[in-house]
Amino acid sequence: MSVKHAFYAQSGGVTAVINASACAVIETARRYDDKIGKVYAGHNGILGALREELIDTSLESHETIGALLRTPGGAFGSCRYKLKPIGESEAEYRRLIEVFRAHDIGYFFYNGGNDSMDTALKVSQLSEQMGYPLTCIGVPKTIDNDLTVTDNCPGFGSAAKYLAVSTKEASHDIASMCDTSTKVFVMEVMGRNAGWLAAAAGLAARQENDPPHIIVFPEIPLNRERFLQKVKETTEQEGYCVIVASEGARYEDGSFVSASTTVVDSFGHQQLGGVAPALCTTIKQELGYKYHYAVADYLQRSARHIASRVDVEQAYAVGKAAVELAVTGRNAVMSAIIRESNAPYRWSVGEASLDKVANFERKMPMDFITEDSFGITRSCREYLEPLIEGEEYPAYLNGLPRFARLKKVMVEKRLNKPFEL
Amino acid sequence: MSVKHAFYAQSGGVTAVINASACAVIETARRYDDKIGKVYAGHNGILGALREELIDTSLESHETIGALLRTPGGAFGSCRYKLKPIGESEAEYRRLIEVFRAHDIGYFFYNGGNDSMDTALKVSQLSEQMGYPLTCIGVPKTIDNDLTVTDNCPGFGSAAKYLAVSTKEASHDIASMCDTSTKVFVMEVMGRNAGWLAAAAGLAARQENDPPHIIVFPEIPLNRERFLQKVKETTEQEGYCVIVASEGARYEDGSFVSASTTVVDSFGHQQLGGVAPALCTTIKQELGYKYHYAVADYLQRSARHIASRVDVEQAYAVGKAAVELAVTGRNAVMSAIIRESNAPYRWSVGEASLDKVANFERKMPMDFITEDSFGITRSCREYLEPLIEGEEYPAYLNGLPRFARLKKVMVEKRLNKPFEL
C-alpha cells in the first residue's frame, strides 16, 4: 500500500507565527515518510483545495521550510472563505473530497480558528459517508485567543507582546513630552468581541499608575462620563494619560465608539471612523487635551521581529503534534496547549475533540477586568505574562529580516473541471 | 580654580536613541572630572533651566546611566518650547545665563534639532556679552533627518528601521490574504515637510514589484488620477497594493491629502482626518477595494526594541564627541556625523559650526525620488541602507524591555524668584 499524501491549509487572518506551524507540519511529516507522502499546501487556504491549486512543498528545500519558522504572514496564502453550512450545500465539501481523492490525499491539516475547526469536523464526517475516509486534524491559530479547550492560541502571544512592548515605548515618549505637548495617547488594538489584545497591552504597566492608565474593553459598555472623568483625573495627577482601546468598544447605548465620529470625504460619502480618533475627538472636545493616536492594525499581527519565544515554540509544537496525532491514528481532533503551571510556566500539548472546539468562542473571564472596568486584574496578568515571555528574533540581512521565499510549484491538476465558488 | 558643572537638555520630539546621547554625555563628562564637575539635566528640557529645575545626574548610579543607552523617550523630559527671537526679548536668554551662573555651570549641551542649535548659538553669543562665557555645544537629534552638515541625524535610523521592517511584515500579511480580503494597505508615517521617513519605508522593497508599491512624498504634489491609476494597475498585477504615505502629503492644488476627509463627531465638530484614512476612502470610493491602514505615530519614534545598531552607536558617538569638543576648548559647534564611504559603510564624527546648522533645513535630494514620483532611486537606497544596519536589542525581563528608571533628584534652587514663561 502506498502512503497517502497530506493537505495543509492556512485559514483566516494570519499571524506572526502561523508559518511556524506550517514549518512544523512539513518538517514532522517528512520524518514520518513511512506514513505520509508529500505535503501539499493549499494555495490561498481551503480555496486551493476547491480550485485544485496545490503547492508541492516537497520541492521546497529544507532551508526554505526551516525559514518559515521566522516568517510572518501566511506563506502559502490564507483566505477568508467559510464553507456553506453542510445542510445548505454539500457541493463544496464533496468537491474537497474529490480533490483529495484525485491526489491521493489521506490527511487534512487545517490551521485556523473556530470556523476552520468546524469545517475540518464536517469534512471528516462527510469523507466517511463518501467512502473516502480522511484523517482530519486541526492546528489552532488566532490572535483573537478565542478557541476553547486550548489554554491559549498560537499567534496571540506575539501580538500581545508587540502591543505590550509598543505601549510601553510610546508611553515613555509621551511621558517625556507631556509638559508642553501631547497629554493623551490612544493605542487602537484589534478585537471586535473580546478584549484579549487590549488586556495584553495592559501588561506594559508593572507598577501602580504606570501607563496604560485606561483600557477600553469591548466586553464592558463604555460610560462616556466616567471615561472622561478618569482621563481628566489621570492627566491631572500623572501629567498625561495613555489609553488602549479595542476596535470593538461600544457605548452603553450599544453603539460602537468608532461610530461616534463619521469620516466624510470631499464627495460627501460617509464611513465609520476608528475607535482611536473617535475617543481623541471626544477628549479634545470635552477636556481640551492635545492628543496623538496610533492604529496598530496589521502591524500587531505580523510583527515577527518582536515575536514571543513561547508563542513561536507553541506554534511549532501544535503543528508537530498535529502530525503525530495523525500518524498515531487520531482523527477529528485539534492539537491544544495545556497549561500545567503558572510559575514557573510549564505547558504541554494535548488534544481537543473538534466537536468541542468548532464554533465555540472563548470569552475573557470577567474577573480579568478590574472593578472600575479600566484595567486588568492580577489573575489576568498571571494568565497573560507567560505568553509574552522570551524573544525569538529573525535573522537579518542589510538591516531587514530575512523571510522565506517559496518557489510554490503547483501540482498538476487531475480533475478536468474548475470549481465555481 | 574649581571645575564648572555642565547642563544638558533634551529638546523637541524625542527618539528611540536620544537617551543614548544623554548616556554618552554623562559617561564622558564623568571621565573628564578634572574639567567638568557634575552634569545637571534640564527637567523637561530647556524649561528645566528657565524654571531652575535641574536634575542632578551625579546621584544616578553608573548602572542607571548605562541603561539610558537602551531606553526610548526623553529620560529627563523634553519640551516643545522655542525661545523668543533674541531681538524681541532677551529676558529668557538672560534668565538661562542667570541660572547657569547661580549653579556654576560652564558647559551647555543641547540635544535637539534646528531650533535648538539656534538657541545654543544665541546663548553662546549673549553669555559672552554678559561677561559669563559659556561653552555651548549642540548634540544632533531628530527623526526628521533634516539637520544640515551632519550626514544624518541620530534618531532617524531607528525610526527608518522600524518603518522598513514593519512595512515588510505588514506586506507579508496582506499578500497572504488579498485573494479574498484586503487589497490595499496604507502605512501612514511622520514627515510634514520632508519624505525621509516615507523613503525609509521604501527600503522594505528589495526586488522589483516588492511592496511597498507606492510612496506618497510630501515633496511631490499628488496627482489624484495618476495615483489611483497606479493603485489599480498594481492591484490588478500583484493582487494587492501597499502604500506608504507621509502625513504631510498634498494634492496638486496645495491642499493636504489629510484634509480631503473631515472627521465629524456626534456634536458636529469637525477636524482633519489622517492621510491614511483619506487615501483609503478615496480608493474605496473610486476603485472599490477593501483596505486596511496603520498609523505608526509615536510607535515609529519610540521603537527602541528594533533600533538600528548604527543609529545607537552614532547617537552615543555624537554625545561623547560633544563633551570632547567642549573639553578641548571648542565652542558654538555641534558634533556631526561624517560619511566616509558607502560600501563598506564607514563614518566618523566631526563638528559643524552652529551658525551653519541653526535654522537651516536639509531637504531630501530630488534625485532620491523616482521619475514616476512613487518610489526611491538607487542613490536614495545607497544613502539610507547603512543607517538601518544592525540590531541593538534592549534587555528583557518577563517579556518586556527593561528601561532605565531614574531617581531624578533636583538640585536645590539658588535663585529667589520663579521665572514666568
Side-chain angles (χ1 to χ4, degrees), chain B residues 22 32 35 39 45 55 74 78 80-81 84 97-98 116 120 122 129 149 153 177 205 247 263 272-273 294 303:
Chain B
Y32 288 99
K35 293 190 171 142
V39 177
I55 297 166
S78 183
R80 290 207 183 282
Y81 184 81
K84 293 184 189 68
I97 293 162
E98 266 180 65
S116 310
K122 301 274 169 52
Q129 288 174 32
V149 189
C153 304
M177 302 291 296
E247 58 182 348
V263 178
L272 293 188

Side-chain angles (χ1 to χ4, degrees), chain A residues 10 12-15 43-44 47 51 71-81 161-162 164-182 184-185 187 190 203-207 210 224 260-267 269 271-274 277 280-282 284-286 290-299 301-306 385 388-391 393-394 396-405, chain B residues 10 12-15 43-44 47 51 71-81 161-162 164-182 184-185 187 190 203-207 210 224 260-267 269 271-274 277 280-282 284-286 290-299 301-306 385 388-391 393-394 396-405:
Chain A
Q10 303 182 318
V14 294
T15 78
H43 180 232
N44 296 328
L47 287 173
R51 292 170 177 157
T71 302
F76 302 103
S78 182
C79 65
R80 291 209 183 278
Y81 184 80
K161 186 180 184 90
Y162 170 86
V165 170
S166 299
T167 300
K168 183 170 179 178
E169 289 176 333
S171 296
H172 273 250
D173 188 308
I174 182 173
S176 47
M177 302 291 296
C178 64
D179 187 38
T180 51
S181 185
T182 307
V184 171
F185 178 72
M187 177 86 163
M190 285 178 161
L203 291 177
R206 280 274 161 81
Q207 300 180 11
D210 270 0
R224 194 170 174 279
S260 68
T261 56
T262 315
V263 177
V264 187
D265 72 12
S266 43
F267 300 92
H269 303 110
Q271 61 167 64
L272 292 189
C280 286
T281 307
T282 300
K284 175 75 179 170
Q285 179 55 34
E286 298 297 317
K290 189 179 174 207
Y291 63 78
H292 263 246
Y293 64 84
V295 180
D297 195 62
Y298 286 166
L299 310 189
R301 69 180 203 193
S302 61
R304 183 60 187 79
H305 72 272
I306 188 62
E385 269 186 346
I388 68 164
E389 186 62 60
E391 297 68 51
Y393 297 120
Y396 280 74
L397 179 68
N398 299 331
L400 287 174
R402 293 181 68 175
F403 296 143
R405 286 205 188 236
Chain B
Q10 305 182 316
V14 294
T15 78
H43 181 232
N44 297 327
L47 288 173
R51 293 171 177 155
T71 302
F76 302 102
S78 183
C79 66
R80 290 207 183 282
Y81 184 81
K161 187 180 184 90
Y162 170 87
V165 170
S166 298
T167 300
K168 183 170 179 178
E169 290 175 332
S171 296
H172 272 250
D173 188 307
I174 181 173
S176 47
M177 302 291 296
C178 65
D179 187 38
T180 51
S181 185
T182 307
V184 170
F185 177 72
M187 177 85 162
M190 285 178 159
L203 291 177
R206 281 272 162 83
Q207 301 179 10
D210 270 0
R224 194 170 173 279
S260 68
T261 56
T262 315
V263 178
V264 187
D265 72 11
S266 42
F267 300 92
H269 302 111
Q271 61 167 71
L272 293 188
C280 287
T281 307
T282 300
K284 175 75 180 173
Q285 178 55 35
E286 298 296 317
K290 188 180 175 207
Y291 63 79
H292 264 245
Y293 65 84
V295 181
D297 195 62
Y298 286 166
L299 309 189
R301 70 180 203 193
S302 61
R304 183 60 187 80
H305 72 272
I306 187 64
E385 268 184 347
I388 68 165
E389 186 62 60
E391 297 68 51
Y393 299 119
Y396 280 73
L397 179 68
N398 299 331
L400 287 174
R402 293 180 68 174
F403 296 143
R405 287 206 187 235

Side-chain angles (χ1 to χ4, degrees), chain A residues 368-389:
Chain A
F368 275 21
I369 300 176
T370 53
E371 224 162 287
D372 75 351
S373 87
F374 295 133
I376 57 172
T377 59
R378 177 185 294 267
S379 49
C380 181
R381 189 172 290 279
E382 284 170 359
Y383 168 79
L384 290 174
E385 269 186 346
L387 307 182
I388 68 164
E389 186 62 60

